Amino acid sequence: MNDPVSPPSPSPSVRWIAPLAVLLVIGAGVAWGWTRWQAEQAHELQRQADTGLQLQGLVDSVEALRRDQRSTSQRVQDAAATNRVLRDEMLGLSQRSALLEDNLAKLADSTRHGAQALQLEETELLLGQAAQRLAYADDVEGAKRLYALAASTLADVPGNDYLNVRQALMQERNAVDALGPGVRVSTAAQLATFSKALERLPQQVDAVPGAEAATPWWHQVLAPFVTITPTHTQGPLTDAERVTGWDALQLELTLARAAVERGDQPGFTHAVDRVALWLPRLWPDSPALRERRAELQQLRMRVLQPALPELGSTLQQLRSMRDGDDR
């Protein structure tokens, strides 16, 4: 059998080309890989550097934010402290305002009470003067004016606490108005009228018709020798005694007027009684004399100081209320 034909053997240069080419390829691959790795390393380093820069920026930003936060916190604390101070000041101002309002209220209240106390004192003074005028001088007109002033002053007092006092004052004024001009004034006027009426009394009276027929027999026997004048037709006084008696009568009338002026009831009664004793001694009996004696008896019954239950009640009630307020 025939041996197969072996291929021709390559030349030595050709045999080294393939390994060299492989080596070149491997070298190129290693070079490319190294370059790639270097580029990756550089890129990684650059990325790390950028990341570091960013991280540092973030750290700086965080630090800046923390500084801002601390500053903000400090400002908030300062603002809170300021608010507390302002709140305390406002509270102090509110307390001062409340104290000022309280003081003003107390001042206004004290002023009001002072004015009210002054009005009440003025009312009490006017009522006291009115009572004195009635008691000591019987000056009804003056007392009426004082009562009117007291009523006007009491009406200016605010509130309804003194309503009972006003009502008592009204009743007292009505009682005083009922007195008219006054007992002493009217009594003094009647005394003056009575005194003038005495001057018109007849000194002699005519004999009553038919009296001669009733004359006793011994009057007729003694008629030629003695003139008998009965005391009921002509007083037994001479002219000198009549003048003296008239002066004494005027003195008694003057004493009666003086007793009326001072409100002396016993003195007035005694003076009127003495005047009544002088009347039949100075004038003969006549209708005019009897009329004067009746008028004198009416004068004697006059009460110079009439009892008025309402008089002084307002003053007493006002003083009681003021004493109660003081306690």
Side-chain angles (χ1 to χ4, degrees):
M1 125 185 235
N2 294 328
D3 291 331
V5 179
S6 59
S9 60
S11 63
S13 58
V14 172
R15 289 193 303 263
W16 287 104
I17 290 174
L20 182 62
V22 172
L23 290 174
L24 288 174
V25 171
I26 293 172
V30 171
W32 179 82
W34 174 259
T35 304
R36 183 69 179 175
W37 181 78
Q38 288 292 332
E40 289 291 336
Q41 287 294 111
H43 181 71
E44 183 66 22
L45 291 176
Q46 184 63 35
R47 188 175 61 82
Q48 290 180 357
D50 293 339
T51 302
L53 290 175
Q54 291 178 359
L55 182 59
Q56 187 64 36
L58 290 174
V59 171
D60 293 340
S61 298
V62 170
E63 188 65 26
L65 289 175
R66 287 177 178 174
R67 287 195 301 270
D68 293 340
Q69 183 181 5
R70 287 193 295 269
S71 178
T72 303
S73 299
Q74 185 65 34
R75 286 196 295 271
V76 169
Q77 292 177 0
D78 294 340
T82 304
N83 288 334
R84 285 194 298 271
V85 173
L86 290 176
R87 186 169 60 252
D88 293 340
E89 290 181 355
M90 289 298 297
L91 182 60
L93 289 176
S94 299
Q95 292 176 352
R96 292 191 188 95
S97 299
L99 290 175
L100 287 175
E101 290 178 359
D102 193 16
N103 291 332
L104 288 175
K106 289 180 179 179
L107 181 60
D109 190 62
S110 62
T111 303
R112 181 176 62 84
H113 281 294
Q116 181 175 342
L118 182 61
Q119 291 173 342
L120 292 177
E121 289 179 358
E122 183 178 358
T123 303
E124 184 176 346
L125 177 62
L126 291 172
L127 291 175
Q129 290 181 350
Q132 290 177 0
R133 280 183 177 269
L134 286 175
Y136 299 108
D138 195 38
D139 186 5
V140 179
E141 295 300 325
K144 288 180 181 179
R145 290 192 293 269
L146 290 173
Y147 275 119
L149 291 175
S152 177
T153 305
L154 189 60
D156 295 335
V157 178
N160 297 324
D161 297 336
Y162 295 91
L163 183 61
N164 294 332
V165 180
R166 296 188 183 98
Q167 184 177 1
L169 179 57
M170 184 182 300
Q171 294 176 356
E172 189 169 350
R173 291 184 66 185
N174 292 334
V176 173
D177 291 339
L179 293 176
V183 178
R184 300 187 199 177
V185 175
S186 60
T187 303
Q190 289 186 2
L191 276 176
T193 304
F194 175 79
S195 179
K196 292 181 179 179
L198 292 179
E199 298 176 358
R200 297 191 295 270
L201 288 177
Q203 299 291 335
Q204 293 180 352
V205 293
D206 296 335
V208 180
E212 294 182 355
T215 302
W217 62 271
W218 56 273
H219 282 196
Q220 298 177 5
V221 172
L222 296 176
F225 308 99
V226 178
T227 301
I228 300 174
T229 305
T231 57
H232 70 276
T233 58
Q234 186 176 5
L237 301 179
T238 62
D239 293 339
E241 291 174 341
R242 183 176 297 280
V243 172
T244 303
W246 174 259
D247 293 339
L249 177 62
Q250 294 299 321
L251 177 61
E252 297 299 338
L253 289 174
T254 302
L255 293 177
R257 294 191 191 96
V260 170
E261 290 292 333
R262 64 177 182 270
D264 184 6
Q265 186 71 43
F268 173 73
T269 303
H270 295 161
V272 171
D273 290 341
R274 290 190 295 268
V275 171
L277 292 177
W278 278 106
L279 291 181
R281 298 181 63 185
L282 292 174
W283 290 278
D285 188 21
S286 64
L289 180 62
R290 289 192 293 271
E291 184 179 353
R292 298 286 80 77
R293 295 181 69 178
E295 183 180 356
L296 187 63
Q297 185 63 26
Q298 291 178 357
L299 282 174
R300 186 182 184 279
M301 301 303 294
R302 281 295 185 91
V303 179
L304 300 181
Q305 293 182 350
L308 294 177
E310 299 85 356
L311 188 62
S313 60
T314 307
L315 182 59
Q316 183 178 1
Q317 187 172 357
L318 180 60
R319 287 175 177 174
S320 298
M321 292 187 63
R322 296 191 64 186
D323 293 340
D325 294 338
D326 293 339
R327 288 194 296 268

